Amino acid sequence: MKINIRRGANQIGGSAVELTASNGNRIILDLGLPLDAEENTPTLLPDIVGLTERTPDLLGLFITHAHQDHFALGKHIDPSIPVYMGKATNSLMKASVDYGLPGAFAFDNVVEIKGFESVVVGSFKITPYPVDHAAYESFAFLIEADGTRVFYTGDFRAHGRTSKRTEHLIAKPPKDIDVLLMEGSSIQRLDPDEKFETEPELENRFLETFKNTAGLAMVHPSSQNIDRIVSIYRASKKSGRTTVFSGYTGFIVMSLENQNIPNFKTFSDVKKLTERPKGKSHEITADQIASAPNKYTYVISGRGLESLEKAGLINPNASYAYSMWSGYKDSSAGRVIAKMKDAGVQMTDIHTSGHADVPTLRRFVEALKPKVLVPIHTFHPEQFHALFGELTKVEQHCDNEEFYVTIS
């Protein structure tokens, strides 16, 4: 089997890996939009034969999860190419399209896959392994062909609300891994022995913030970060507040069809902010919130801030917790942050990474015992040898460098 990291050998985001079996069959793992891309254009597609005009040897695209840096360039591929992903991942993409989110799209030829259930595609056998990540449904993949075994982590961690997924993988890992393609997003963010905060720890920080807020509490997460939505809801409930969603957040949550996730259809203490109520029990207006702002937590996304501002709710008694990757502060979240600062709102950051800390990465390598470890999805591949070199052989490869998986 041959591996070619088409993008991601020395950067975070834009991941794309091409695998080729000895008979020429090919599959692609992820096809993401680079984080520094100003727009999603076909010119950003990696140089993979058959993407825009399918060739018979290109058998499919496998998507790990519904984050744009892992799927968004798929917008430009030949629609006849089969795209393999989980049901929830497919639902999240469709929900973004149905809601009218700018730039959203859904794949035409989807084959839904399930955790631990292998699929055979030509010469390849692919087994999805559920892992913990900031995306609602995330898979790592075991790929087998030509008597060799490659494990691709995608993005993962072990400090979220689904940490048991990663812990299960570490406790019962696949055996005889020839090559481990492992993400290293967190390398150099922390000291090597330092751990990221857990989602339950964030929940406690939200709780303290909500208790100490005299007015409306506002939190600004990604609407698709369901772990964070749950943390916010639990803290809000414990503080005696009702959680208020925008229409987009509510729409995303409902698209997952999981009644255990806070939603405004089955949770009496979850409301939908609206300017034109239609008499439904889950609807609430900004003026209604203004009658007792200390009883509510608003989850910011899309539209809604204008009505809160008109109702006088964005003021020094209110609080604003930024709860996303810091890179968005200078782009999509910048306008909101500026508005909060101008109004004298109490501001804080409450966030944790969607990626594994170094201690988790080490435990992962120790558990899988790969013959070779190859860095991917990291700005610092050169650090892998120092961090993991005593555990296994580390090979650093460049984008578009073809290398072979060999049986020792």
Side-chain angles (χ1 to χ4, degrees):
M1 194 193 323
K2 292 185 291 188
I3 301 176
N4 193 326
I5 301 173
R6 291 298 189 170
R7 185 182 288 122
N10 59 359
Q11 70 182 75
I12 296 173
S15 296
V17 180
E18 182 181 18
L19 301 181
T20 306
S22 59
N23 66 353
N25 285 177
R26 294 180 296 129
I27 61 172
I28 303 167
L29 310 177
D30 285 335
L31 195 59
L33 181 70
L35 292 178
D36 59 357
E38 295 183 2
E39 57 182 324
N40 187 351
T41 66
T43 59
L44 293 171
L45 281 171
D47 185 19
I48 299 175
V49 174
L51 275 184
T52 55
E53 293 184 16
R54 186 185 176 190
T55 54
D57 57 329
L58 183 56
L59 305 184
L61 167 64
F62 286 77
I63 301 296
T64 54
H65 62 284
H67 281 165
Q68 290 202 23
D69 65 322
H70 286 259
F71 79 85
L73 286 181
K75 180 177 183 179
H76 309 295
I77 68 173
D78 186 322
S80 71
I81 297 173
V83 182
Y84 296 79
M85 66 177 74
K87 179 180 179 180
T89 299
N90 193 25
S91 295
L92 286 168
M93 293 185 190
K94 288 181 176 179
S96 295
V97 172
D98 293 343
Y99 193 79
L101 200 67
F105 77 97
F107 288 100
D108 295 314
N109 190 9
V110 172
V111 181
E112 292 185 350
I113 55 179
K114 297 180 180 179
F116 307 111
E117 295 188 8
S118 302
V119 294
V120 176
V121 180
S123 300
F124 296 96
K125 178 182 177 183
I126 302 97
T127 306
Y129 282 77
V131 291
D132 179 39
H133 183 44
Y136 177 72
E137 175 187 62
S138 296
F139 289 139
F141 292 129
L142 171 64
I143 305 99
E144 301 172 79
D146 302 329
T148 57
R149 292 159 66 85
V150 173
F151 198 91
Y152 172 63
T153 65
D155 290 353
F156 79 108
R157 63 181 179 179
H159 54 272
R161 292 195 173 276
T162 59
S163 59
K164 63 183 180 181
R165 297 175 183 172
T166 300
E167 295 298 348
H168 179 272
L169 179 52
I170 291 173
K172 297 182 179 180
K175 305 296 184 183
D176 302 318
I177 300 301
D178 294 294
V179 175
L180 171 60
L181 296 167
M182 187 176 76
E183 72 125 310
S185 305
S186 66
I187 290 175
Q188 291 198 346
R189 290 187 189 177
L190 301 172
D191 293 334
D193 297 325
E194 192 175 352
K195 296 182 179 180
F196 284 120
E197 284 185 281
T198 66
E199 280 294 332
E201 288 172 337
L202 290 195
E203 178 185 321
N204 290 331
R205 289 179 60 196
F206 282 125
L207 177 58
E208 288 305 307
T209 297
F210 298 163
K211 284 181 176 179
N212 294 322
T213 300
L216 176 65
M218 294 174 283
V219 186
H220 199 173
S222 163
S223 293
Q224 294 198 13
N225 188 342
I226 303 302
D227 269 20
R228 195 61 43 79
I229 298 299
V230 172
S231 296
I232 295 165
Y233 167 78
R234 286 171 57 89
S236 185
K237 186 178 182 69
K238 289 178 181 178
S239 67
R241 292 174 179 261
T242 292
T243 302
V244 181
F245 289 158
S246 71
Y248 177 60
T249 301
F251 193 81
I252 288 295
V253 167
M254 292 303 298
S255 74
L256 297 172
E257 300 179 347
N258 183 342
Q259 298 305 311
N260 294 317
I261 299 173
N263 64 85
F264 48 64
K265 290 292 181 67
T266 58
F267 282 62
S268 61
D269 53 355
V270 175
K271 304 294 182 182
K272 174 185 176 181
L273 181 65
T274 182
E275 293 183 3
R276 293 178 290 276
K278 299 178 181 178
K280 297 180 180 179
S281 61
H282 63 265
E283 295 176 327
I284 192 168
T285 66
D287 288 337
Q288 287 174 312
I289 294 173
S291 66
N294 63 330
K295 296 296 183 183
Y296 297 96
T297 302
Y298 179 61
V299 179
I300 296 173
S301 68
R303 299 178 294 272
L305 284 182
E306 291 77 10
S307 61
L308 297 179
E309 193 171 24
K310 289 178 183 177
L313 289 163
I314 301 178
N315 58 53
N317 287 326
S319 65
Y320 169 84
Y322 182 82
S323 193
M324 291 185 288
W325 175 54
S326 60
Y328 295 135
K329 286 186 174 182
D330 296 326
S331 55
S332 57
R335 180 184 63 84
V336 176
I337 292 171
K339 184 186 294 291
M340 297 298 163
K341 286 182 178 179
D342 290 344
V345 172
Q346 306 165 52
M347 302 180 69
T348 187
D349 283 35
I350 302 179
H351 183 58
T352 193
S353 178
H355 302 275
D357 48 37
V358 174
T360 299
L361 294 175
R362 288 183 60 85
R363 289 196 298 126
F364 199 83
V365 175
E366 289 172 346
L368 270 68
K369 297 180 174 62
K371 295 182 179 69
V372 177
L373 170 63
V374 176
I376 193 171
H377 204 276
T378 179
F379 287 125
H380 300 284
E382 74 283 353
Q383 295 296 314
F384 268 57
H385 183 75
L387 292 168
F388 312 110
E390 80 277 14
L391 301 176
T392 190
K393 179 183 179 182
V394 176
E395 288 184 4
Q396 184 178 340
H397 294 278
C398 300
D399 285 353
N400 296 307
E401 175 193 345
E402 193 171 75
F403 59 97
Y404 287 81
V405 181
T406 57
I407 304 174
S408 59

